[in-house]
Amino acid sequence: MLKLVELVLTAEIYNRFSELSEDDIPKKIRKLFYGKTGISRPLVVKVDVAKQVGNVEDILKLPFIDVNTFTKQIIVTSFDAAVKWFASKGDAIEIIRNNPVLAYFYQNYDSLNISYEEAKKKNKPRHSDREWLKSVVAELEKNPETAEMLCLVRLYSPEDIKVDFSDVALNAEQMEEIRKIEVAMEERAYLKQIGLTEVGKLLFIGPPGTGKTTTARALSKKLCVPLVEVKLSMITSQYLGETSKNIEKVFEIAKRLNPCILFIDEFDYVAKTRTSDEHAAVKRAVNTLLKSIDEINLVEDGVILIAATNHPSLLDPAVWRRFDKIVEFPEPPENVRRRIFELALSKVEGDYDIEELVALSDGFTGAEIKLVVREAVLKALLRGDKRISQQDLLNAVEEVKSRLNLKTSY
Ligand SMILES: Nc1ncnc2c1ncn2[C@@H]1O[C@H](COP(=O)(O)OP(=O)(O)OP(=O)(O)O)[C@@H](O)[C@H]1O
Ligand SMILES: [Mg+2]
């Protein structure tokens, strides 16, 4: 019952106060109202929508609520009576504290001691919703020009990202850089005010399988912003000028989707092709890339730029200084390997000695440690065993080692 009244009152208050935004509507309520083009104002609570929240018959018994039998819309017949009734229910106070729309109204109401700011902090903004991303994409698809841009990138809503920071073992320096980006995102308004706009551009360097992509994804989930992923090799074209155009389009898309993370993988790709005959076209592409990086920033555009490469030495020197921070993803040292083993084995039954594995896996990346665990689990399953033994793991370590040797012998 309270949940239903919350729904109806939220819609009513949101419609009355135009200063309230979609970010103020609690995520779970917002999700009831997404249409193809987003959430339309005013919010209309139809019986069908209310049914997803509770038993509609119940609230129709309340004297201040009615239903329009033609439009099937639930309406508040007396706003004053409704807000008074709601405030008088003890359990409603907690609901109000978690609902920015209600908190906005009730912060000045009697002596309830409600803070709109506090409620806002507890609610995830709309760009964390997969429905929001869908509606923005639907809008961009209407225009052939922007529809074409969408083909160049992969988009992920933070809701659909499976990894978070509890799944990644990072060292202290990596963690600090991630924290800095988080606070920069939170304090965008302040940074703008003091004129510090050059923040939010990171370059991740390190060998394959060391967690660069995983970290970018986990950051998107943590910040509740969509991830725009692009591999430079995928947008490089043999046609003159096309690569430059594609680069511009990718940055344009990121700006349209703000706030978001623009993750550019294989960042060395353009630089790598420099030695080819198409020198002029490549030079132009590099220049476009530099210019695009200059023209985007977190504070004004709401875009965090993360570029990743396995071959930092190939990068144009001019590229380096455009990033506020180069974050290294080295082959993990002992303590990080221990953590990755612990993470990878956390749900696996068996008798094993992680210390021995850590000592034997010098030079392994996170990806290779995961491979060890996967091999051991599959080997055990082959025996019909869900418990793995230390021997399974040791065999798998040897296997991965011989793989590594193959890699270096060619
Ligand atoms: N530090 C780490 N902690 C936990 N898992 C890790 C770590 N590093 C790598 N992994 C695991 O290894 C796999 C590959 O990682 P990821 O794709 O992030 O590597 P990458 O650095 O982006 O590699 P590439 O340069 O080839 O793109 C993932 O399954 C990831 O979970
Ligand atoms: Mg990667």
Side-chain angles (χ1 to χ4, degrees):
M1 173 84 124
L2 279 180
K3 293 240 178 266
L4 274 171
V5 180
E6 178 195 13
L7 170 68
V8 178
L9 268 184
T10 301
E12 184 69 25
I13 293 169
Y14 176 74
N15 296 341
R16 280 173 185 242
F17 296 91
S18 60
E19 61 270 39
L20 288 170
S21 79
E22 287 170 17
D23 288 337
D24 293 309
I25 307 172
K27 189 175 176 88
K28 62 177 193 308
I29 293 183
R30 212 162 49 210
K31 288 201 162 231
L32 300 168
F33 290 100
Y34 274 103
K36 272 206 183 77
T37 51
I39 297 173
S40 37
R41 202 171 192 142
L43 292 178
V44 175
V45 185
K46 296 260 172 125
V47 172
D48 281 349
V49 170
K51 270 186 187 158
Q52 299 174 47
V53 177
N55 188 355
V56 177
E57 300 297 313
D58 284 352
I59 59 161
L60 290 182
K61 289 182 196 137
L62 294 169
F64 47 83
I65 291 212
D66 208 350
V67 62
N68 179 324
T69 43
F70 292 110
T71 60
K72 299 269 184 273
Q73 182 185 345
I74 297 177
I75 41 180
V76 178
T77 49
S78 163
F79 182 65
D80 289 343
V83 293
K84 201 166 166 192
W85 180 90
F86 198 66
S88 72
K89 301 286 162 197
D91 292 343
I93 305 306
E94 205 40 40
I95 294 179
I96 297 171
R97 288 196 204 287
N98 287 288
N99 179 324
V101 171
L102 296 182
Y104 182 77
F105 177 81
Y106 281 106
Q107 62 184 341
N108 307 316
Y109 193 86
D110 280 355
S111 51
L112 288 184
N113 202 6
I114 301 280
S115 155
Y116 166 62
E117 291 305 324
E118 286 301 315
K120 231 175 141 55
K121 273 189 206 148
K122 291 187 207 156
N123 191 37
K124 288 194 175 153
R126 65 176 183 169
H127 47 257
S128 71
D129 303 345
R130 70 168 69 83
E131 295 83 354
W132 178 79
L133 186 58
K134 256 193 186 158
S135 67
V136 177
V137 167
E139 202 55 46
L140 292 172
E141 273 170 347
K142 282 187 193 156
N143 179 333
E145 202 183 321
T146 43
E148 198 187 315
M149 294 180 187
L150 285 169
C151 300
L152 299 168
V153 297
R154 280 186 72 170
L155 301 176
Y156 299 87
S157 164
E159 269 182 4
D160 294 322
I161 288 177
K162 301 284 183 289
V163 288
D164 57 48
F165 281 115
S166 62
D167 304 314
V168 213
L170 297 179
N171 62 34
E173 193 198 332
Q174 291 166 329
M175 256 163 357
E176 187 179 322
E177 292 315 318
I178 296 299
R179 277 295 300 149
K180 279 191 207 153
I181 291 284
E182 277 176 45
V183 292
M185 184 77 171
E186 275 164 29
E187 300 292 347
R188 264 171 72 189
Y190 168 71
L191 293 173
K192 189 170 185 166
Q193 186 198 327
I194 61 170
L196 222 160
T197 52
E198 284 303 305
V199 285
K201 296 177 196 179
L202 298 183
L203 177 61
F204 288 180
I205 61 172
T210 47
K212 298 179 295 298
T213 301
T214 312
T215 301
R217 290 186 181 163
L219 185 59
S220 142
K221 188 161 189 86
K222 181 82 193 283
L223 295 177
C224 295
V225 299
L227 184 68
V228 181
E229 234 183 69
V230 58
K231 287 191 161 86
L232 270 194
S233 65
M234 304 293 279
I235 62 163
T236 305
S237 158
Q238 68 203 87
Y239 299 108
L240 203 69
E242 203 64 22
T243 307
S244 289
K245 269 192 216 140
N246 285 346
I247 291 171
E248 277 166 1
K249 284 178 193 165
V250 165
F251 278 80
E252 181 60 32
I253 273 291
K255 285 185 190 175
R256 301 271 187 116
L257 287 170
N258 90 81
C260 70
I261 295 176
L262 171 58
F263 179 60
I264 308 185
D265 212 347
E266 302 179 349
F267 196 67
D268 50 87
Y269 196 85
V270 167
K272 205 157 54 182
T273 50
R274 261 201 158 181
T275 43
S276 77
D277 358 322
E278 291 180 88
H279 200 90
V282 173
K283 223 172 170 178
R284 194 161 138 197
V286 172
N287 285 339
T288 307
L289 198 53
L290 296 179
K291 190 159 163 278
S292 302
I293 298 173
D294 282 340
E295 285 172 359
I296 204 163
N297 75 70
L298 169 61
V299 173
E300 271 152 12
D301 306 300
V303 179
I304 293 167
L305 173 68
I306 300 179
T309 175
N310 303 141
H311 310 284
S313 57
L314 293 177
L315 295 183
D316 192 301
V319 168
W320 286 84
R321 64 172 179 78
R322 285 178 159 80
F323 290 92
D324 349 309
K325 195 72 199 182
I326 314 288
V327 186
E328 277 187 81
F329 284 72
E331 277 174 3
E334 226 177 78
N335 60 337
V336 177
R337 291 205 302 279
R338 180 175 301 117
R339 181 90 192 100
I340 302 174
F341 268 114
E342 283 167 1
L343 286 170
L345 287 164
S346 66
K347 289 182 191 139
V348 185
E349 293 276 324
D351 288 314
Y352 39 76
D353 170 15
I354 288 185
E355 283 318 308
E356 190 184 6
L357 300 168
V358 170
L360 289 171
S361 57
D362 190 26
F364 283 27
T365 62
E368 282 145 3
I369 293 175
K370 290 233 163 132
L371 194 61
V372 166
V373 173
R374 192 168 69 216
E375 275 305 305
V377 168
L378 289 176
K379 269 280 163 57
L381 281 178
L382 220 47
R383 285 198 308 271
D385 217 343
K386 287 209 170 110
R387 287 179 69 84
I388 62 169
S389 67
Q390 181 73 354
Q391 198 53 50
D392 290 325
L393 286 160
L394 291 175
N395 292 345
V397 166
E398 280 314 310
E399 238 173 83
V400 171
K401 265 200 183 139
S402 48
R403 255 174 81 134
L404 288 181
N405 289 338
L406 273 181
K407 198 167 76 183
T408 46
S409 63
Y410 281 95

